[in-house]
Amino acid sequence: MYSNILNRYHSADSPAHDEEHEQWTRRSFMKALGMGSAGTMLLGGSALSASSISPIGMALNESEGDHILVLIRLAGGNDGLNTIVPLYDFDTYANYRPSIYHRQNSLIKLSDDFAIPNYMQPLETLWGEGMMKVVNGVGYEDQSLSHFTSSDIWAASGINTIYNQGFFGRHFSTTNPDYLFNPPEKPLAVQIGSIGNLIFTKEDEQYAFQVSNPNQLENIAKSGVQFGLEDLDTSCKLGVQQEFLRATSNTTYLYSGVINEAYKSSTTNATYEDSDIARQLSIIARLIKGNLGTKVYMVTLGGFDTHADQIERHSLLMSELSSAVSEFYKDLKQSGHDQNVLGMTISEFGRRVFENGSDGTDHGASSNTLLFGPGLEGNGFIGDHPDLSDLDNNKNLKYNTDFRQLYATVLSQWLCLDTNEVQNSLSGDFENLDLGFSCGTNEEGTGDSEDPVDSEENPDTGVVAEELLDPETFSHRPFYDADKGISIAYNAFESMHLEITLYNLLGQKMATLQSGYIAEGEYVLHFSDVMNMESLSSGQYLYRFTNYEGASSKMILIE
């Protein structure tokens, strides 16, 4: 019921800010249009996922542990100073924000140094029970003040690079390169909202089962289908067409069935408030208790771009978040699942230290990250809080904790992934934080591995693990040639028999583009040289490489 309040102030009175938001919205909208960008499709008569499998995804899917990560995205840039108030330097804090600072009689002390506003009271219990930690000063060097860019940086875990993939979506699987033809039985990740966010993406592939809002996921969970068919008037041509399109879409969602089974096998055991974030977490709780098996979830709470009237807007958002998280863990505790679930907030940046002329705050730099769950084994503050008197050149708080340290710690110490794989996925080696949990040592089989990737045969697929997609041995990429149109460049590391075939999204074989023996070398295949392109409708297709060692697939767009 507060959506109008939150949306009314979404943009600041700045042309550059409005343009950046327009770009962000357009990008998200374009991502949402792709039929294969979220969910599954039929291929060769079998339902399969359009989500590719990265090494990190495969490791998550095959890891023996039961640990689950729930990312809570605070979209828009959360104001860390008004979330965790620095009591030790309260006068400086208050002087920076004469209109919007929290009065001391409205604060709940977590320690002698820090407090939360009283509307976040539900988190006081989690703190008291040792189920909450705060990481101070989280950010990165040369903070981008753009929603679009900073969201990509957090998702891609890289700075000053090309943002077309997220850290959970880094690399194609070396253990199952034929991911489009051999999907996992359960979703690697479930994402609500944040369409267009890169965190589960590898180039044009989406790793997560993604829905735009909790209504959509709830409908899938309750019914097992994406669209209902019972309300259509099939006596007219339009109704018949709608029925066909909806039924076709339903068959493309492989994971609708397993999500429905998990949802139906559990119940809600908490009193959630009527808010968007509460509904998202209540659905996730049922999927976890229903043993869906997914290891990573992401939910989204928007509205944190508080350029104006921040007191009202931020209090509403943090009140809803605090209540939802508290009820989420009460819900999970009834079945004992709370012990295995770690919650973590992420946001693209913090807010400026100084308030602006609209009783709000503009885009800032570092902020804090909140962690929840019994697995933390105690409350506490991690890292030094930024010095309020030592600001950067933009008058923003300096960061003390690289956000990638958080990722590295959670991936290696909570989800228990191999350290080498974590380093590959984060594109660097980042020091772990002491968050209260640990996966142990090599001797226990849950820490580092001297040989994380080998060339032994995958017992499930019969595909040699190391070879096909190694860019130094065999690689391929689609591109658009100005004269020839859609094309593929590929490099064969040795002589081989190779077949390249083209499929539509219903799994129908459209053409054999190439079949025969080739020598070692670099090649370019132009589709128009080997088939009649006018015979194809515009849309998404799959091409598939097959040789004696295995197969590899990739989606392309033919216009």
Side-chain angles (χ1 to χ4, degrees), residues 365-478:
S366 74
S367 187
N368 40 54
T369 291
L370 311 182
L371 295 143
F372 309 104
L376 295 168
E377 297 186 353
N379 59 38
F381 295 91
I382 311 298
D384 295 329
H385 193 277
D387 187 341
L388 298 187
S389 301
D390 181 21
L391 306 179
D392 67 15
N393 293 333
N394 293 316
K395 304 299 182 183
N396 287 321
L397 296 175
K398 296 180 179 179
Y399 83 99
N400 293 319
T401 303
D402 192 306
F403 74 99
R404 290 166 294 188
Q405 291 180 260
L406 270 173
Y407 287 162
T409 307
V410 170
L411 292 174
S412 63
Q413 299 298 315
W414 179 255
L415 294 175
C416 300
L417 301 187
D418 176 81
T419 300
N420 291 331
E421 182 52 55
V422 172
Q423 292 174 3
N424 290 337
S425 297
L426 297 181
S427 300
D429 183 7
F430 299 95
E431 182 181 357
N432 284 342
L433 303 171
D434 183 8
L435 298 181
F437 43 75
S438 174
C439 277
T441 64
N442 292 345
E443 287 75 21
E444 294 172 345
T446 55
D448 295 343
S449 171
E450 295 181 358
D451 187 18
V453 179
D454 57 39
S455 60
E456 294 183 3
E457 185 174 322
N458 183 320
D460 296 325
T461 64
V463 176
V464 175
E466 77 183 80
E467 299 276 306
L468 199 53
L469 284 179
D470 185 341
E472 295 183 357
T473 56
F474 185 95
S475 61
H476 60 94
R477 64 177 180 85

Side-chain angles (χ1 to χ4, degrees), residues 12 42 139 145 195 208 230 245 317 336 350 361 368 386 417 455 474 557-558:
L42 284 179
L145 301 181
I195 291 178
E230 63 281 349
L245 289 173
L317 291 168
T361 51
N368 40 54
L417 301 187
S455 60
F474 185 95
L557 178 65
I558 295 178

Side-chain angles (χ1 to χ4, degrees), residues 15-132:
H17 183 273
D18 290 343
E19 181 180 354
E20 202 256 327
H21 270 269
E22 182 181 354
Q23 182 187 30
W24 197 17
T25 303
R26 186 186 305 116
R27 178 173 183 257
S28 300
F29 177 71
M30 293 303 293
K31 291 286 288 186
L33 286 179
M35 176 179 177
S37 65
T40 59
M41 64 197 71
L42 284 179
L43 196 58
S46 301
L48 58 102
S49 171
S51 300
S52 58
I53 303 174
S54 67
I56 222 171
M58 285 301 298
L60 283 171
N61 207 36
E62 297 173 357
S63 62
E64 296 181 0
D66 295 324
H67 284 179
I68 291 170
L69 173 64
V70 178
L71 295 169
I72 305 171
R73 184 178 178 221
L74 309 181
N78 179 45
D79 182 12
L81 275 180
N82 272 21
T83 299
I84 304 294
V85 179
L87 297 177
Y88 67 91
D89 200 2
F90 188 83
D91 289 344
T92 305
Y93 155 75
N95 287 335
Y96 284 142
R97 303 171 163 216
S99 299
I100 67 169
Y101 79 94
H102 292 301
R103 277 54 178 175
Q104 286 188 316
N105 61 3
S106 68
L107 295 173
I108 299 171
K109 291 181 64 174
L110 299 182
S111 71
D112 290 338
D113 291 331
F114 298 102
I116 56 175
N118 54 15
Y119 50 74
M120 293 174 62
Q121 188 276 329
L123 296 187
E124 182 182 16
T125 300
L126 292 180
W127 180 268
E129 294 177 350
M131 296 171 55
M132 177 178 169

